[in-house]
Amino acid sequence: WLVYPSTSQFVFNGGYGFRWGNLCLPLYFFAVAFWLEGRRGWALAAVGWAILLKEEAAIPVGMFGLYLAFFDRQRRLGLALAAFSFFYFLAMSSWVIPALAGENTGYLVQNYFWTLGSSKSEILLSPVLKPEIFWGKLLNGHSLYFAALLAGPFLFFPFRKPSLLFS
């Protein structure tokens, strides 16, 4: 856990300040671990905490909901979690954060994905609309190296149950 990119960067927090988002990745893993151990309440608490820390956390939490719906046969709970998470992200990034930011700044995080599109719908459809850019970024050496860093501390055990990679 300590060698994960998100937690190993804690040492740099003194230079640019603590970031609560660094805690989201461990919370995702705790949620999956709790769920697999049958501790449903703790799993939902972990994903709830992640969403409260960072609005972008709602996307992987929504994917966790889809995992529950399609692979764990928890259709109602999984689809409800996915729908809530995706709507939460859309509401926060489209209305709440831009309204609080003022000065017509919009949702600044979206600017990181300018090569994929200028709107949320274009970014969402970029695997189809701009496949060379989307898949090129996803499958480049840096992305694959990052995936190896994420799976390495667990000795690549996530690949033993590929359905977990969906979440």
Tab-separated table of all heavy atoms in Angstrom, residues 139-161:
chain	number	residue	atom	x	y	z
A	139	LEU	N	-3.006	3.256	-23.969
A	139	LEU	CA	-2.098	2.120	-24.149
A	139	LEU	C	-0.640	2.521	-24.346
A	139	LEU	O	0.170	1.684	-24.745
A	139	LEU	CB	-2.571	1.269	-25.343
A	139	LEU	CG	-3.972	0.669	-25.183
A	139	LEU	CD1	-4.406	-0.023	-26.452
A	139	LEU	CD2	-4.038	-0.263	-23.989
A	140	ASN	N	-0.291	3.782	-24.038
A	140	ASN	CA	1.113	4.165	-24.199
A	140	ASN	C	1.947	3.626	-23.038
A	140	ASN	O	1.425	3.106	-22.054
A	140	ASN	CB	1.259	5.681	-24.372
A	140	ASN	CG	1.007	6.465	-23.096
A	140	ASN	OD1	1.010	5.947	-21.984
A	140	ASN	ND2	0.775	7.754	-23.256
A	141	GLY	N	3.236	3.736	-23.147
A	141	GLY	CA	4.141	3.173	-22.146
A	141	GLY	C	3.933	3.734	-20.758
A	141	GLY	O	3.993	2.991	-19.767
A	142	HIS	N	3.674	5.033	-20.641
A	142	HIS	CA	3.468	5.642	-19.324
A	142	HIS	C	2.224	5.074	-18.636
A	142	HIS	O	2.244	4.813	-17.433
A	142	HIS	CB	3.347	7.162	-19.433
A	142	HIS	CG	4.590	7.831	-19.908
A	142	HIS	ND1	5.731	7.886	-19.145
A	142	HIS	CD2	4.876	8.447	-21.062
A	142	HIS	CE1	6.667	8.526	-19.808
A	142	HIS	NE2	6.173	8.881	-20.994
A	143	SER	N	1.159	4.887	-19.398
A	143	SER	CA	-0.076	4.357	-18.819
A	143	SER	C	0.107	2.906	-18.388
A	143	SER	O	-0.373	2.499	-17.323
A	143	SER	CB	-1.221	4.454	-19.826
A	143	SER	OG	-1.472	5.796	-20.153
A	144	LEU	N	0.779	2.124	-19.195
A	144	LEU	CA	1.008	0.727	-18.839
A	144	LEU	C	1.940	0.611	-17.631
A	144	LEU	O	1.752	-0.244	-16.764
A	144	LEU	CB	1.566	-0.040	-20.036
A	144	LEU	CG	0.607	-0.117	-21.235
A	144	LEU	CD1	1.287	-0.787	-22.409
A	144	LEU	CD2	-0.675	-0.836	-20.860
A	145	TYR	N	2.916	1.497	-17.560
A	145	TYR	CA	3.816	1.526	-16.401
A	145	TYR	C	3.032	1.884	-15.136
A	145	TYR	O	3.216	1.260	-14.081
A	145	TYR	CB	4.934	2.538	-16.644
A	145	TYR	CG	5.882	2.712	-15.481
A	145	TYR	CD1	6.745	1.683	-15.103
A	145	TYR	CD2	5.913	3.897	-14.769
A	145	TYR	CE1	7.604	1.840	-14.028
A	145	TYR	CE2	6.774	4.067	-13.702
A	145	TYR	CZ	7.625	3.035	-13.331
A	145	TYR	OH	8.471	3.195	-12.275
A	146	PHE	N	2.141	2.850	-15.232
A	146	PHE	CA	1.320	3.231	-14.092
A	146	PHE	C	0.433	2.060	-13.659
A	146	PHE	O	0.268	1.798	-12.463
A	146	PHE	CB	0.478	4.459	-14.430
A	146	PHE	CG	-0.339	4.972	-13.284
A	146	PHE	CD1	0.275	5.541	-12.181
A	146	PHE	CD2	-1.720	4.902	-13.313
A	146	PHE	CE1	-0.463	6.030	-11.119
A	146	PHE	CE2	-2.467	5.383	-12.254
A	146	PHE	CZ	-1.844	5.943	-11.161
A	147	ALA	N	-0.152	1.336	-14.616
A	147	ALA	CA	-0.971	0.166	-14.281
A	147	ALA	C	-0.133	-0.892	-13.576
A	147	ALA	O	-0.605	-1.542	-12.628
A	147	ALA	CB	-1.605	-0.408	-15.547
A	148	ALA	N	1.102	-1.075	-14.021
A	148	ALA	CA	1.986	-2.035	-13.350
A	148	ALA	C	2.297	-1.580	-11.923
A	148	ALA	O	2.366	-2.405	-11.001
A	148	ALA	CB	3.276	-2.211	-14.151
A	149	LEU	N	2.471	-0.279	-11.727
A	149	LEU	CA	2.704	0.236	-10.375
A	149	LEU	C	1.495	0.005	-9.476
A	149	LEU	O	1.649	-0.246	-8.275
A	149	LEU	CB	3.034	1.727	-10.417
A	149	LEU	CG	4.399	2.119	-10.953
A	149	LEU	CD1	4.522	3.637	-11.015
A	149	LEU	CD2	5.510	1.548	-10.086
A	150	LEU	N	0.307	0.101	-10.034
A	150	LEU	CA	-0.897	-0.117	-9.238
A	150	LEU	C	-1.085	-1.591	-8.891
A	150	LEU	O	-1.512	-1.921	-7.790
A	150	LEU	CB	-2.131	0.395	-9.977
A	150	LEU	CG	-2.222	1.904	-10.175
A	150	LEU	CD1	-3.468	2.251	-10.973
A	150	LEU	CD2	-2.241	2.624	-8.845
A	151	ALA	N	-0.788	-2.484	-9.824
A	151	ALA	CA	-0.995	-3.914	-9.589
A	151	ALA	C	0.197	-4.575	-8.902
A	151	ALA	O	0.035	-5.585	-8.224
A	151	ALA	CB	-1.288	-4.626	-10.912
A	152	GLY	N	1.378	-4.023	-9.053
A	152	GLY	CA	2.590	-4.631	-8.516
A	152	GLY	C	2.595	-4.902	-7.028
A	152	GLY	O	2.968	-5.998	-6.596
A	153	PRO	N	2.190	-3.937	-6.198
A	153	PRO	CA	2.229	-4.198	-4.759
A	153	PRO	C	1.368	-5.389	-4.328
A	153	PRO	O	1.614	-5.986	-3.298
A	153	PRO	CB	1.714	-2.898	-4.139
A	153	PRO	CG	2.074	-1.861	-5.136
A	153	PRO	CD	1.909	-2.529	-6.469
A	154	PHE	N	0.367	-5.711	-5.103
A	154	PHE	CA	-0.456	-6.882	-4.809
A	154	PHE	C	0.000	-8.101	-5.601
A	154	PHE	O	-0.740	-9.066	-5.735
A	154	PHE	CB	-1.928	-6.602	-5.114
A	154	PHE	CG	-2.575	-5.697	-4.126
A	154	PHE	CD1	-3.062	-4.469	-4.519
A	154	PHE	CD2	-2.695	-6.058	-2.794
A	154	PHE	CE1	-3.666	-3.620	-3.606
A	154	PHE	CE2	-3.297	-5.221	-1.876
A	154	PHE	CZ	-3.782	-3.993	-2.280
A	155	LEU	N	1.233	-8.042	-6.124
A	155	LEU	CA	1.808	-9.137	-6.911
A	155	LEU	C	0.896	-9.546	-8.058
A	155	LEU	O	0.763	-10.715	-8.378
A	155	LEU	CB	2.123	-10.333	-6.011
A	155	LEU	CG	3.095	-10.030	-4.866
A	155	LEU	CD1	3.223	-11.250	-3.971
A	155	LEU	CD2	4.440	-9.596	-5.386
A	156	PHE	N	0.224	-8.562	-8.632
A	156	PHE	CA	-0.642	-8.750	-9.801
A	156	PHE	C	-1.840	-9.666	-9.523
A	156	PHE	O	-2.428	-10.224	-10.422
A	156	PHE	CB	0.162	-9.226	-11.013
A	156	PHE	CG	1.179	-8.201	-11.440
A	156	PHE	CD1	2.486	-8.257	-10.964
A	156	PHE	CD2	0.823	-7.164	-12.270
A	156	PHE	CE1	3.423	-7.299	-11.329
A	156	PHE	CE2	1.745	-6.199	-12.643
A	156	PHE	CZ	3.051	-6.266	-12.167
A	157	PHE	N	-2.217	-9.821	-8.244
A	157	PHE	CA	-3.388	-10.620	-7.895
A	157	PHE	C	-4.677	-10.107	-8.532
A	157	PHE	O	-5.569	-10.907	-8.801
A	157	PHE	CB	-3.560	-10.727	-6.382
A	157	PHE	CG	-2.620	-11.700	-5.740
A	157	PHE	CD1	-1.905	-11.325	-4.621
A	157	PHE	CD2	-2.449	-12.972	-6.246
A	157	PHE	CE1	-1.026	-12.205	-4.017
A	157	PHE	CE2	-1.569	-13.860	-5.660
A	157	PHE	CZ	-0.865	-13.479	-4.545
A	158	PRO	N	-4.814	-8.789	-8.775
A	158	PRO	CA	-6.067	-8.359	-9.423
A	158	PRO	C	-6.319	-9.043	-10.762
A	158	PRO	O	-7.468	-9.188	-11.171
A	158	PRO	CB	-5.866	-6.849	-9.617
A	158	PRO	CG	-4.919	-6.456	-8.549
A	158	PRO	CD	-3.994	-7.640	-8.399
A	159	PHE	N	-5.268	-9.495	-11.428
A	159	PHE	CA	-5.447	-10.155	-12.723
A	159	PHE	C	-5.965	-11.580	-12.578
A	159	PHE	O	-6.373	-12.189	-13.551
A	159	PHE	CB	-4.138	-10.144	-13.516
A	159	PHE	CG	-3.691	-8.746	-13.878
A	159	PHE	CD1	-2.584	-8.178	-13.286
A	159	PHE	CD2	-4.417	-8.005	-14.788
A	159	PHE	CE1	-2.188	-6.899	-13.608
A	159	PHE	CE2	-4.019	-6.708	-15.122
A	159	PHE	CZ	-2.921	-6.159	-14.519
A	160	ARG	N	-5.951	-12.111	-11.351
A	160	ARG	CA	-6.490	-13.454	-11.121
A	160	ARG	C	-8.002	-13.450	-11.195
A	160	ARG	O	-8.617	-14.487	-11.428
A	160	ARG	CB	-6.023	-13.988	-9.769
A	160	ARG	CG	-4.528	-14.298	-9.787
A	160	ARG	CD	-4.019	-14.794	-8.476
A	160	ARG	NE	-4.759	-15.956	-8.018
A	160	ARG	CZ	-4.745	-16.372	-6.763
A	160	ARG	NH1	-4.045	-15.737	-5.867
A	160	ARG	NH2	-5.431	-17.432	-6.402
A	161	LYS	N	-8.623	-12.305	-10.927
A	161	LYS	CA	-10.078	-12.171	-11.041
A	161	LYS	C	-10.343	-10.943	-11.908
A	161	LYS	O	-10.570	-9.849	-11.410
A	161	LYS	CB	-10.710	-12.020	-9.655
A	161	LYS	CG	-12.210	-12.119	-9.687
A	161	LYS	CD	-12.799	-12.208	-8.305
A	161	LYS	CE	-14.297	-12.363	-8.423
A	161	LYS	NZ	-14.916	-12.433	-7.106
